[in-house]
Amino acid sequence: MRPIGPLGSSQQTFPAVNEIRHNSANPNAGVPGIGLALGGGFARGFAHLGILKVLEQHHIRVSHIAGTSVGSVFAGAYASGAPLERILAASRTIRFRDIARWSVSRLGLASNHRLADVIELVFDSKQFEEMKVPLAIVATDLGTGDPVVFQQGPLVEAVRASCAYPGLFEPIQIGTRWLADGGLVAPVPTLATRRLGARLVVGVSVGTQDGNRNAPKNIFQVVARAVGAAQKHQFDAWERHADLVIRPDVQDISWDDFGRSSEAIEAGEAAARVALPRIRQLLATCEHSGSSVYSTALSQEWLAETLRSNGRLR
């Protein structure tokens, strides 16, 4: 695998082909799609599936997709052509033990090598070149502190690197680089989505802060809160590359609360429904102008608008 960077099972059956992504008869096939940037957040990241579910229900095409950390898992699964029904079904049964194995070493408390099994089970393709939707996955180079963006080669190690949360998971060595969670440098990979060629970029942020102001109870909360504090001051860096930012209401879901995946998915659906009118407005402007909304004066009005699932703009 050659990274590009830094940036400047069940017996249930599913449709063999995903309608929105691959059906040429789709009436919106020629309409400009949206580029999705899916951020990190461990178990909160299941909200990304709610966003994708609503987009498919309303025939809004995803033209490009990028992911950081858990966002890389769902971005990769969707881009691979895996039916969303399969991804949703897997998400409702997956637990932390399915992606991690405790293996205390000098570099981390656990290995995420079991992610390879999840990818094998859920994804339709495992090479970037075989993706049905252009895909980028972001990791962090621990040697330079720079983002590393994967767009070619095998998918498994790219996803594992993007999900290698520091202090918890061992970093992943690819070539001469040691790579860790992409959320350290790109909490929501809007720039990577833009550089894939997306004319309209929608960022989805589920956050890493646990919303608890009490004293941390373990090392995981200490690390998560420290990373969340650092990311809190990176908003300007990634929001400026988005035309719209959606923030599902998942702040009460803990990082490891995989048993609440259905709640997170529902929160994503609620947030996406609130965002739908503005997404359609942006798409109409993009189609009419024939260029990126981001490059027009109108983008200044909409740039980085934040929609919460309660319907209020922030």
Side-chain angles (χ1 to χ4, degrees):
M1 176 188 300
R2 184 166 66 89
I4 299 177
L7 283 170
S9 208
S10 170
Q11 297 300 310
Q12 185 176 2
T13 59
F14 300 94
V17 178
N18 183 283
E19 177 186 355
I20 302 303
R21 281 166 281 177
H22 316 307
N23 187 350
S24 60
N26 174 23
N28 289 333
V31 175
I34 66 172
L36 272 184
L38 306 182
F42 285 99
R44 294 176 180 177
F46 289 115
H48 295 317
L49 298 179
I51 302 285
L52 288 166
K53 183 178 178 181
V54 170
L55 293 177
E56 285 207 350
Q57 288 172 343
H58 292 268
H59 303 284
I60 294 175
R61 184 173 65 90
V62 176
S63 62
H64 305 78
I65 193 166
T68 283
S69 197
V70 68
S72 74
V73 178
F74 297 129
Y78 192 78
S80 78
L84 188 55
E85 294 91 340
R86 182 199 301 161
I87 305 171
L88 286 164
S91 74
R92 292 189 172 98
T93 61
I94 196 168
R95 296 295 182 266
F96 182 72
R97 64 179 176 271
D98 296 317
I99 62 173
R101 179 178 62 84
W102 297 112
S103 176
V104 179
S105 74
R106 293 179 297 121
L107 301 179
L109 298 177
S111 166
N112 67 9
H113 78 278
R114 289 179 177 171
L115 263 176
D117 298 328
V118 174
I119 292 172
E120 184 64 33
L121 177 68
V122 179
F123 288 32
D124 266 11
S125 304
K126 288 84 179 177
Q127 293 282 136
F128 278 91
E129 292 79 3
E130 298 171 355
M131 295 295 103
K132 306 302 187 295
V133 176
L135 169 69
I137 288 176
V138 183
T140 301
D141 187 330
L142 291 178
T144 65
D146 291 322
V148 176
V149 179
F150 293 92
Q151 291 180 244
Q152 57 185 329
L155 208 60
V156 172
E157 293 304 288
V159 172
R160 288 189 61 207
S162 187
C163 293
Y165 197 77
L168 175 58
F169 291 122
E170 300 164 347
I172 305 300
Q173 184 177 15
I174 298 179
T176 60
R177 290 175 167 179
W178 286 91
L179 305 179
D181 198 295
L184 299 173
V185 290
V188 181
T190 50
L191 179 56
T193 309
R194 183 74 66 186
R195 290 187 171 178
L196 277 174
R199 293 165 62 187
L200 171 61
V201 174
V202 176
V204 184
S205 173
V206 295
T208 58
Q209 290 281 11
D210 59 14
N212 189 339
R213 299 195 178 192
N214 297 325
K217 297 179 179 179
N218 53 57
I219 188 174
F220 307 119
Q221 289 187 358
V222 171
V223 174
R225 292 186 190 184
V227 172
Q231 291 179 344
K232 186 175 181 180
H233 299 283
Q234 292 185 39
F235 286 160
D236 287 346
W238 64 261
E239 283 193 355
R240 70 170 181 263
H241 298 292
D243 301 293
L244 185 70
V245 175
I246 302 175
R247 298 181 190 277
D249 187 8
V250 290
Q251 297 308 299
D252 65 332
I253 296 178
S254 299
W255 69 273
D256 60 344
D257 212 345
F258 288 82
R260 297 177 66 186
S261 60
S262 293
E263 293 178 52
I265 292 168
E266 290 171 5
E269 291 181 57
R273 284 193 291 269
V274 171
L276 273 174
R278 189 52 54 91
I279 290 174
R280 288 195 173 108
Q281 188 178 20
L282 290 166
L283 281 170
T285 301
C286 191
E287 183 179 15
H288 178 73
S289 68
S291 62
S292 169
V293 172
Y294 182 73
S295 66
T296 70
L298 290 174
S299 68
Q300 300 306 311
E301 177 183 351
W302 292 320
L303 183 61
E305 287 185 9
T306 301
L307 287 168
R308 289 192 181 273
S309 57
N310 60 15
R312 291 182 296 177
L313 287 172
R314 290 192 50 157

